Amino acid sequence: MDNLKNMLTSEDESERLYAVQDMAESGKREYCSLLLGRLRIDESQLVKDAIVSGLKRLDCSEMFDPLFELFVSDDAYLRNQSVGILASQKDDAIGYLATKFDHADRDVRKLILDVLFEIGSPDAVLAIRAYVNDASPNVKIAAVEYLGRLGDKQSVDDLLSLIEHETEPMLRSSVLDTLGLIGERPDIRRVLKAISPNGRIDQVDALYLPQLIRLIARTGDRESLVRVLASIQDIILYAEDYLSAVNQATNRFPDLCSDETLCGRLVSIIRAREVRTGVRLSAVEMLASQAGLGGALPDILFELGLDLMNEPEMTVATVRLLASSGRMEAQAAIRKLISGIKDDDLRMLCTDCAGLTCEETTIRKRAKRKEQA
Amino acid sequence: MKPAMEPRQGPEQAAGKSYSVKINVDEFKLLGDFIYRKTGIRYEEKKIYYLNKRVGSRMETLGMDSVAEYLRYIRFIDDGSELQQLINLITVNETYFFREYEQLQSFAEVCLPEIVSRKEAKGDRRLRIWSAGCSSGEEPYTLAIILHEMLDDFDKWNIEILATDIDKVILQRAMDGIYTDRSIKDVPDEYLERHFFRSLGGTYRVSSDIKDMVTFEHLNLYDKPSMRSYKGLDFIFCRNVLIYFDEASRKDVVDHFYVALNRGGFIFLGSSESASRVTTAFKIRRAGEMLVYCKE
């Protein structure tokens, strides 16, 4: 032990590193205090990282007090690393931290939460749940977020109470985000009542719309979903959330895009040049993949394809739309478009896209004819 | 130095015999822990089928009837030779020349010139490179070819490429330096012509000039005393090897690499691997299109 102690104070960085490694490998808890002491003063990032890694492998239960003291260190690295080291001690650390849950400093309480989240055990989740009623909004928000990430469905009632009684917007947003992960359909009514006058979807504060959309997309019934999506006025601002919701919801409601209003909104997103190209392309794909629903959709796809022909960055999307429309005139339009493309890779991509889409369309039409027969 | 490499144009999997064994969960845990203690390589439970085959192969060779017997032997009786045999079977050896070309380009066109000019200014003409986990040798030979092609006054440099691996069988193959079409598919034509001989049987042999630049050694990256003896390297390549280690053992290995590197030296991991998740001691720098890790 003496030899390793001496090596730990060597001027040679590699000697100190080797001492740390050997101490960690020994499994001896007696080394913890030496390592923690060195962590505070060593100038080498290599050695400090190795000490942190080493402490995580050792039983540090006798070092809980000095580790906890690092929560108020001026050094952000020490504060953050002490969280990880305590978390590595699993439920033993929870037992210790339980005596500190009501610490006066909210930043310390937040760090305690971080430890609990990293441990993630059932006991840790119970402790996190208690923080939902903390005095500090920031601590509450962290607790709410962690419960969502840990998938703690049993905390839903607490979260619903929170959104019903709290008015702090960031906190409510956070609760909605978490409910989007763990909430269920019956919870939506309570949520709507809490965030909108008269419980009306079209009167929900715009601040909460993205989270509400996500929640309803994942768990809501078709009618609620269509209503909330149709109620969004500024479709450009919420384009990404809208698409994400429709995408998620079509897993449960494959004919969702047959709704005229929703379909119209997708078309608006596609036409809007101020929307990010990637989002527009996703909207094209979503609409094109719904071509099999028939009705007015093939015509919409064809017209939209023609409209986009003047936008070079939407060339592939244009081909996709025209090809998926299944219209006879689309073939000629596609051929003309492709023949004008100078870039070999782009021309090949468009040809492939047209070919694959036409194949899809043919298969779809055959299936429909068979069905009708 | 030449400004650019030639553009590219286009695993040896350990195979067990089919000997029917079924390692149960407890046996898997014992064996897995043992392998981890000795090599740092961690096998998750979903890889139980993988060990089944390989252990089965060894049991057949040794004439053993039960996994329990094999476990007793390798843990308490074996002098290390059986462990080596098992390691030779369980390590994956998928590689080819000029693998991860863009990264090699960064090495050749940015990092190498930087180190070369720094050393030339000090009158130091020694270059040391380590290919850790070299498998059947494609990587260290690739590095040798790059140095041969990129250094203007190549003959004036004292170049040492150390190539190490835990698998002794694969190391022998590396030393033979004979390869099939699959290994050389990404070698630029010009380099293929200059540095390989094609045999009548259709295999490719690395030229003796290139072979002479590489020294092969058996090394277990988890063997601390051995690792600690490696110092003074300008470049370390350890690509797609650390993925077999768990967090703790990966950290130890990367820390050793840091100590082994000279100041200003570079470490290259696989494109899906990150040194900064393991240690913050390395500095990230841009080298062409790639991000590289440097010991400053």
Side-chain angles (χ1 to χ4, degrees):
Chain A
M1 187 163 170
D2 278 341
N3 185 38
L4 289 180
K5 260 178 87 171
N6 291 336
M7 280 172 71
L8 195 60
T9 56
S10 166
E11 282 189 11
D12 186 330
E13 182 189 48
S14 60
E15 293 247 317
R16 300 200 305 278
L17 173 72
Y18 299 154
V20 171
Q21 286 180 342
D22 291 346
M23 285 179 178
E25 202 172 286
S26 74
K28 291 185 178 151
R29 66 205 305 200
E30 302 92 87
Y31 287 132
C32 288
S33 72
L34 281 172
L35 288 171
L36 194 55
R38 193 69 214 176
L39 179 64
R40 286 191 175 99
I41 60 174
D42 204 293
E43 287 176 359
S44 159
Q45 194 59 50
L46 177 79
V47 174
K48 289 201 291 196
D49 285 349
I51 290 173
V52 170
S53 173
L55 283 170
K56 286 180 180 175
R57 292 192 246 180
L58 293 169
D59 174 1
C60 296
S61 49
E62 285 168 12
M63 302 302 299
F64 283 161
D65 276 331
L67 280 168
F68 185 73
E69 278 165 26
L70 291 180
F71 277 16
V72 293
S73 166
D74 290 333
D75 185 334
Y77 175 81
L78 290 179
R79 289 199 303 272
N80 292 333
Q81 297 308 320
S82 63
V83 166
I85 297 166
L86 276 168
S88 71
Q89 307 299 305
K90 304 286 181 205
D91 282 359
D92 287 345
I94 298 178
Y96 171 81
L97 290 172
T99 64
K100 313 284 182 191
F101 281 170
D102 293 331
H103 198 282
D105 186 337
R106 66 171 179 214
D107 293 331
V108 170
R109 296 200 303 277
K110 166 64 172 60
L111 288 172
I112 291 173
L113 259 181
D114 292 343
V115 175
L116 294 170
F117 173 67
E118 225 176 288
I119 294 171
S121 66
D123 283 346
V125 170
L126 274 173
I128 295 173
R129 250 187 246 159
Y131 274 106
V132 159
N133 297 311
D134 193 87
S136 157
N138 280 348
V139 173
K140 276 197 256 223
I141 288 170
V144 166
E145 182 196 325
Y146 287 158
L147 289 171
R149 286 165 69 180
L150 290 169
D152 180 38
K153 288 181 187 273
Q154 291 188 28
S155 61
V156 167
D157 251 349
D158 291 335
L159 296 175
L160 288 169
S161 286
L162 207 57
I163 202 169
E164 282 162 351
H165 298 110
E166 295 279 352
T167 54
E168 211 288 324
M170 293 308 297
L171 177 56
R172 291 180 123 203
S173 252
S174 178
V175 170
L176 279 175
D177 261 334
T178 292
L179 287 173
L181 294 173
I182 59 176
E184 297 294 345
R185 191 177 293 187
D187 307 323
I188 295 173
R189 189 171 299 171
R190 271 177 84 177
V191 166
L192 280 174
K193 242 178 125 178
I195 63 174
S196 134
N198 310 314
R200 286 177 54 150
I201 287 178
D202 56 349
Q203 290 178 359
V204 167
D205 187 329
L207 175 66
Y208 305 127
L209 265 180
Q211 294 95 328
L212 183 65
I213 292 169
R214 271 198 291 279
L215 173 60
I216 295 182
R218 197 177 67 79
T219 63
D221 56 76
R222 193 179 191 283
E223 195 197 324
S224 305
L225 180 59
V226 170
R227 268 193 299 138
V228 81
L229 290 176
S231 72
I232 298 170
Q233 299 305 315
D234 192 345
I235 194 64
I236 308 305
L237 182 62
Y238 294 105
E240 278 195 64
D241 301 298
Y242 191 94
L243 267 182
S244 172
V246 171
N247 193 31
Q248 187 169 46
T250 43
N251 289 330
R252 294 190 298 131
F253 311 115
D255 64 339
L256 192 65
C257 290
S258 62
D259 180 273
E260 247 183 70
T261 314
L262 293 195
C263 183
R265 295 289 163 86
L266 282 177
V267 171
S268 301
I269 290 172
I270 294 168
R271 285 190 202 279
R273 293 194 190 210
E274 60 268 46
V275 171
R276 206 162 50 83
T277 306
V279 175
R280 295 172 74 197
L281 291 173
S282 297
V284 163
E285 189 48 45
M286 198 171 294
L287 209 56
S289 64
Q290 300 288 303
L293 294 174
L297 204 46
D299 290 340
I300 291 172
L301 293 170
F302 182 70
E303 295 299 331
L304 195 49
L306 290 180
D307 288 345
L308 291 182
M309 279 180 98
N310 295 323
E311 287 191 57
E313 68 269 23
M314 297 294 282
T315 302
V316 180
T318 304
V319 169
R320 181 83 170 111
L321 287 165
L322 290 171
S324 59
S325 72
R327 292 259 298 254
M328 294 295 294
E329 333 62 312
Q331 296 299 320
I334 291 170
R335 271 197 298 275
K336 191 177 171 194
L337 177 66
I338 289 177
S339 66
I341 297 173
K342 291 189 173 46
D343 184 297
D344 288 340
D345 288 339
L346 181 59
R347 193 169 53 247
M348 207 165 9
L349 184 60
C350 288
T351 310
D352 285 346
C353 177
L356 284 168
T357 311
C358 286
E359 211 177 289
E360 267 172 42
T361 311
T362 309
I363 291 169
R364 216 179 42 238
K365 283 182 172 171
R366 273 196 202 133
K368 199 154 188 169
R369 274 200 293 271
K370 203 172 166 183
E371 204 181 308
Q372 284 165 349
Chain B
M1 283 200 64
K2 294 185 183 54
M5 289 204 307
E6 285 298 320
R8 65 178 161 179
Q9 316 193 19
E12 304 298 325
Q13 299 234 355
K17 297 176 187 176
S18 56
Y19 185 70
S20 179
V21 295
K22 225 172 161 65
I23 304 177
N24 65 39
V25 173
D26 291 334
E27 287 163 344
F28 178 81
K29 191 174 180 327
L30 277 173
L31 183 60
D33 284 349
F34 179 72
I35 292 172
Y36 175 69
R37 272 203 318 278
K38 293 293 184 182
T39 68
I41 300 171
R42 174 72 79 194
Y43 283 96
E44 298 157 352
E45 219 172 282
K46 61 185 178 188
K47 290 281 176 75
I48 200 168
Y49 75 94
Y50 184 81
L51 279 187
N52 259 343
K53 246 183 133 178
R54 277 108 185 124
V55 167
S57 169
R58 291 308 306 153
M59 281 171 59
E60 186 179 25
T61 304
L62 295 171
M64 290 182 180
D65 292 325
S66 71
V67 176
E69 190 185 350
Y70 181 76
L71 274 174
R72 262 196 307 278
Y73 179 76
I74 199 172
R75 288 166 72 213
F76 303 117
I77 302 170
D78 174 45
D79 60 0
S81 50
E82 176 54 30
L83 173 63
Q84 184 61 57
Q85 294 283 357
L86 184 64
I87 286 169
N88 293 348
L89 283 182
I90 63 179
T91 43
V92 176
N93 295 299
E94 171 71 25
T95 182
Y96 49 90
F97 283 87
F98 288 87
R99 187 179 183 188
E100 297 195 53
Y101 188 86
E102 290 78 12
Q103 192 183 51
L104 291 172
Q105 217 169 4
S106 298
F107 159 69
E109 294 171 10
V110 180
C111 305
L112 181 63
E114 182 180 311
I115 292 211
V116 160
S117 61
R118 193 188 310 139
K119 288 195 162 213
E120 272 177 336
K122 288 194 282 194
D124 178 2
R125 290 214 159 226
R126 194 177 178 212
L127 269 177
R128 295 186 80 225
I129 303 178
W130 180 9
S131 168
C134 67
S135 186
S136 42
E138 285 91 330
E139 181 179 86
Y141 289 139
T142 294
L143 296 172
I145 291 170
I146 289 173
L147 289 170
H148 210 284
E149 293 292 332
M150 298 299 290
L151 291 173
D152 288 330
D153 45 357
F154 170 79
D155 292 328
K156 294 201 173 88
W157 283 88
N158 176 0
I159 296 169
E160 199 181 329
I161 301 175
L162 290 162
T164 65
D165 201 278
I166 195 175
D167 182 339
K168 285 183 179 171
V169 169
I170 211 73
L171 269 177
Q172 185 55 57
R173 271 220 291 274
M175 286 190 266
D176 292 340
I178 298 172
Y179 300 95
T180 62
D181 282 335
R182 194 174 152 184
S183 285
I184 54 98
K185 62 183 173 64
D186 276 5
V187 179
D189 280 344
E190 272 198 45
Y191 296 171
L192 196 61
E193 232 168 285
R194 281 205 278 275
H195 303 294
F196 291 82
F197 296 106
R198 187 154 202 260
S199 75
L200 289 171
T203 56
Y204 294 84
R205 186 165 47 85
V206 174
S207 72
S208 51
D209 280 350
I210 295 298
K211 272 179 98 175
D212 290 345
M213 289 170 70
V214 183
T215 306
F216 291 97
E217 288 174 12
H218 176 250
L219 173 68
N220 178 350
L221 293 178
Y222 206 52
D223 179 348
K224 286 192 175 56
S226 298
M227 286 290 277
R228 288 173 184 179
S229 67
Y230 284 74
K231 297 262 165 82
L233 282 306
D234 299 301
F235 298 97
I236 297 176
F237 284 77
C238 187
R239 305 191 295 169
N240 306 303
V241 172
L242 297 180
I243 50 180
Y244 299 105
F245 292 77
D246 72 355
E247 195 182 318
S249 48
R250 198 178 301 142
K251 172 105 182 66
D252 283 349
V253 172
V254 173
D255 282 351
H256 282 129
F257 286 155
Y258 184 90
V259 170
L261 272 177
N262 291 327
R263 290 241 167 256
F266 293 89
I267 182 170
F268 294 87
L269 304 180
S271 51
S272 61
E273 298 169 296
S274 163
S276 19
R277 269 193 229 130
V278 180
T279 176
T280 51
F282 287 103
K283 297 296 169 235
I284 300 177
R285 287 182 37 194
R286 184 160 283 286
E289 298 294 309
M290 305 289 294
L291 294 177
V292 295
Y293 298 101
C294 179
K295 175 179 174 177
E296 283 185 357

